[in-house]
């Protein structure tokens, strides 16, 4: 029996690719098949009772239930006791999350939107909160129209900014309700960590992902991972990776002035030629032609600041293993104060300089512990620490075990 799961397209609207946000109403009278969502969405249930599964966790659905689904999550309605009626808002999460983090991180505070919503994707609103959501949905519909009715709307001045502000309002309400009363779902008996695989690939698509690396992370053979991805999505591992990378590239083409080489670098491609070849094969046109066709939308990202951010992050990724790497030298290199440097890093990667360096070094140490027989003291020096004590302290902080125990634990599991 085929386990293939339908993948929804990456656009917010089925008939207008330029739209930042799509709006529609749905009625569900019977359980549905699983769906993989390439684009973030909110579902606000007004009527009915049933159950919804989000990545192997089952939640009750009742009136005033608000569901937040992030890219590459798998969902299905598992039971319908009374017909379900809900509004659906599909939006570009890459742009929205960057705007929220830019506004929120004024005091170097860390906000991990995707992680917190992924852990608690379903909240139950009271009548006052439901009314607030209704007003937001009404405003969004008036701006973008209803998909199923193909409603025509006039393009108002700064319309995209208006819609983005409404989506952010919805995210704020979701977070406030979640913090007030976090509701847990029921983990299915046959659940495992494989359903986290698609989200992991999405989150790390810009890196050099290989089946070998996935095998180490998920403790599965390369053939088992390939089979799971093929059975679930109908795509090979490489095709899925390209699908996700192209989806991210489309966002940069539409909303930024980054060059094709810069987009290639931050989406995991070798260079402009490489991304052009894959893009043309997948989309049917070159990236530059695509940009000309679809970039009438308002520019949202501050290009110079964004470009500087990528230059800093790239520099740190390429040099984290140098012993003399420190926050003062990097800030001086880019003519920034230490406060400004940390603010940029927290906005983009949600970690300050010291935390980012330690994560990069410890991740590299894990690779060396698994793939070599080097002494722990030698690994500490190789990844940039000046002594074993500092290395072990940071390893324990991030992995909750010593390097020696990590090496033995992984070897034992593989055995």
């Amino acid at each position: 029996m085929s386990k293939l799961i339908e993948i929804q397209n990456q656009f917010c609207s089925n008939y207008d690719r330029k739209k930042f946000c799509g709006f529609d109403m749905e009625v569900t009278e019977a359980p549905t098949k699983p769906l993989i969502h390439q684009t973030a969405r909110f579902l606000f249930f007004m009527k009915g009772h049933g159950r919804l599964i989000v990545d192997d966790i089952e939640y009750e659905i009742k009136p005033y239930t608000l569901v937040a689904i992030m890219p590459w999550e798998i969902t299905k309605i598992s039971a319908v006791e009374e017909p379900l009626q809900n509004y659906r808002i599909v939006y570009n999460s890459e742009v929205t999350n960057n705007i929220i983090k830019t506004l929120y991180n004024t005091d170097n505070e860390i906000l991990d939107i995707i992680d917190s919503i992924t852990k608690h994707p379903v909240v139950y609103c009271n009548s006052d909160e439901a009314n607030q959501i209704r007003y937001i949905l009404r405003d969004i519909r008036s701006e973008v129209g209803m998909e199923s009715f193909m409603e025509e709307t006039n393009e108002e001045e700064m319309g995209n900014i208006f819609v983005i502000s409404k989506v952010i309002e919805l995210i704020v309400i979701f977070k406030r309700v979640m913090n007030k009363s976090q509701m847990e779902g029921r983990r299915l008996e046959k659940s495992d960590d494989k359903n986290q695989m698609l989200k992991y690939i999405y989150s790390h698509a810009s890196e050099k992902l290989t089946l070998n690396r996935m095998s180490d992370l998920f403790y599965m053979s390369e053939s088992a991972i390939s089979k799971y991805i093929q059975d679930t999505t109908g795509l090979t591992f490489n095709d899925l990776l390209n699908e996700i990378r192209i989806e991210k590239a489309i966002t940069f083409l539409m909303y930024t002035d980054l060059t094709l080489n810069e987009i290639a670098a931050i989406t995991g491609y070798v260079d402009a030629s490489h991304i052009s070849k894959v893009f043309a094969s997948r989309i049917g046109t070159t990236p530059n032609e695509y940009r000309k066709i679809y970039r009438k939308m308002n520019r949202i990202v501050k290009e110079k600041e964004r470009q500087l951010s990528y230059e800093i992050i790239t520099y740190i990724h390429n040099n984290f293993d140098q012993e003399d790497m420190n926050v003062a030298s990097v800030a001086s290199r880019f003519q920034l104060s230490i406060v400004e440097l940390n603010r940029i890093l927290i906005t983009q990667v949600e970690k300050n300089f010291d935390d980012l360096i330690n994560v990069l070094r410890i991740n590299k140490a894990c690779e060396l512990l698994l793939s070599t027989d080097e002494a722990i003291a030698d690994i500490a020096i190789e990844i940039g620490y000046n002594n074993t004590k500092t290395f072990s302290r940071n390893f324990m902080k991030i992995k909750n075990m010593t390097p020696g125990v990590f090496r033995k634990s992984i070897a034992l599991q593989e055995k």
Side-chain angles (χ1 to χ4, degrees):
M1 180 181 294
S2 174
K3 301 176 183 177
L4 197 66
I5 299 177
E6 180 183 348
I7 303 177
Q8 295 195 326
N9 71 53
Q10 74 270 35
F11 299 107
C12 299
S13 169
N14 290 324
Y15 64 87
D16 186 353
R17 293 184 177 184
K18 299 191 302 294
K19 281 191 174 182
F20 164 85
C21 176
F23 179 89
D24 210 351
M25 185 177 71
E26 301 171 316
V27 176
T28 306
E29 297 180 337
T32 63
K33 294 180 179 180
L35 279 176
I36 298 174
H37 305 278
Q38 286 197 70
T39 309
R41 64 199 60 217
F42 278 105
L43 306 178
F44 183 56
F45 290 86
M46 294 296 299
K47 296 180 180 179
H49 287 85
R51 305 197 73 80
L52 172 73
I53 296 175
V54 182
D55 281 350
D56 278 349
I57 307 291
E58 190 173 50
Y59 299 89
E60 179 187 2
I61 298 298
K62 56 186 179 181
Y64 302 164
T65 298
L66 183 60
V67 181
I69 300 170
M70 301 310 296
W72 291 94
E73 287 188 326
I74 302 174
T75 71
K76 74 170 183 178
I77 293 177
S78 55
V80 178
E81 297 154 13
E82 297 177 14
L84 299 168
Q85 178 183 319
N86 70 276
Y87 293 106
R88 182 188 69 205
I89 303 92
V90 185
Y91 67 97
N92 189 309
S93 59
E94 291 278 341
V95 173
T96 307
N97 291 347
N98 279 327
I99 291 174
I100 292 175
K101 287 186 287 185
T102 300
L103 295 173
Y104 186 90
N105 286 314
T106 54
D107 297 318
N108 287 356
E109 298 177 82
I110 296 177
L111 175 66
D112 193 338
I113 303 164
I114 294 178
D115 184 61
S116 61
I117 290 179
T118 297
K119 290 178 180 176
H120 304 281
V122 176
V123 298
Y124 304 105
C125 305
N126 59 35
S127 58
D128 290 337
E129 292 157 347
N131 283 332
Q132 291 181 57
I133 293 171
R134 285 196 192 97
Y135 290 132
I136 294 172
L137 299 184
R138 180 199 61 193
D139 289 342
I140 292 176
R141 177 177 178 176
S142 68
E143 197 71 30
V144 304
M146 185 175 287
E147 287 280 304
S148 54
F149 293 168
M150 296 191 68
E151 290 178 337
E152 294 186 5
T153 57
N154 296 323
E155 291 190 9
E156 300 287 346
E157 184 177 359
M158 301 185 73
N160 288 314
I161 299 298
F162 178 79
V163 173
I164 289 171
S165 71
K166 291 300 171 182
V167 172
I168 291 175
E169 278 189 62
L170 202 52
I171 293 172
V172 170
I173 291 175
F174 184 93
K175 289 277 293 178
R176 287 178 176 178
V177 177
M178 181 184 72
N179 292 337
K180 186 173 62 177
S181 178
Q182 293 181 349
M183 308 299 292
E184 298 291 342
R186 179 180 66 88
R187 180 170 288 276
L188 302 182
E189 293 181 2
K190 295 182 179 180
S191 81
D192 54 41
D193 291 332
K194 288 190 294 187
N195 281 338
Q196 304 300 315
M197 207 175 289
L198 301 184
K199 286 191 292 187
Y200 183 87
I201 295 172
Y202 175 81
S203 300
H204 298 80
S206 61
E207 302 170 15
K208 293 182 179 179
L209 278 184
T210 63
L211 281 171
N212 180 261
R213 179 177 171 184
M214 296 290 292
S215 177
D216 289 339
L217 287 167
F218 288 90
Y219 307 114
M220 296 171 60
S221 68
E222 293 182 25
S223 59
I225 291 174
S226 292
K227 185 177 187 304
Y228 171 75
I229 292 174
Q230 184 84 47
D231 289 347
T232 303
T233 68
L235 301 171
T236 66
F237 173 77
N238 286 330
D239 285 343
L240 174 62
L241 190 54
N242 278 326
E243 183 86 11
I244 292 172
R245 285 172 172 170
I246 290 298
E247 173 193 338
K248 289 175 178 281
I250 285 173
T251 293
F252 289 116
L253 287 168
M254 292 179 68
Y255 295 101
T256 79
D257 283 327
L258 294 174
T259 68
L260 202 51
N261 271 318
E262 289 168 334
I263 294 175
I266 60 180
T267 53
Y269 290 102
V270 177
D271 52 28
S273 176
H274 185 201
I275 191 175
S276 294
K277 182 178 179 181
V278 177
F279 195 96
S281 174
R282 169 69 179 81
I283 304 298
T285 186
T286 67
N288 287 331
E289 284 299 318
Y290 188 94
R291 173 174 263 168
K292 290 177 183 177
I293 295 170
Y294 293 111
R295 63 175 315 200
K296 294 179 181 179
M297 300 178 72
N298 294 323
R299 294 178 182 176
I300 299 168
V301 183
K302 296 179 181 178
E303 308 306 339
K304 291 184 179 179
E305 183 176 333
R306 187 70 174 270
Q307 185 172 345
L308 176 62
S309 302
Y310 287 123
E311 290 175 1
I312 293 170
I313 293 167
T314 299
Y315 177 78
I316 294 173
H317 272 265
N318 290 338
N319 297 279
F320 68 85
D321 54 356
Q322 302 301 311
E323 187 176 340
D324 59 353
M325 186 79 160
N326 60 69
V327 65
S329 65
V330 176
S332 176
R333 179 185 180 88
F334 290 95
Q335 299 181 336
L336 297 169
S337 70
I338 292 175
V339 172
E340 288 172 328
L341 175 64
N342 275 325
R343 180 176 293 119
I344 287 173
L345 292 176
I346 289 173
T347 299
Q348 294 299 324
V349 297
E350 295 163 356
K351 292 179 177 62
N352 63 28
F353 178 87
D354 290 337
D355 289 342
L356 177 59
I357 285 289
N358 283 322
V359 167
L360 292 172
R361 287 176 173 174
I362 298 307
N363 284 345
K364 181 63 177 179
C366 290
E367 293 180 17
L368 295 173
L369 288 167
L370 290 174
S371 61
T372 75
D373 293 325
E374 290 185 57
I376 289 175
D378 293 335
I379 291 176
I381 300 300
E382 183 175 343
I383 62 176
Y385 291 109
N386 54 19
N387 60 69
T388 307
K389 183 177 179 180
T390 303
F391 168 48
S392 296
R393 183 177 69 249
N394 283 291
F395 197 100
M396 173 68 77
K397 180 180 177 182
I398 293 173
K399 296 297 181 182
N400 294 318
M401 64 179 78
T402 66
V405 171
F406 178 86
R407 176 176 264 170
K408 291 178 182 178
S409 300
I410 301 303
L412 178 62
Q413 290 181 37
E414 289 180 343
K415 183 178 180 181

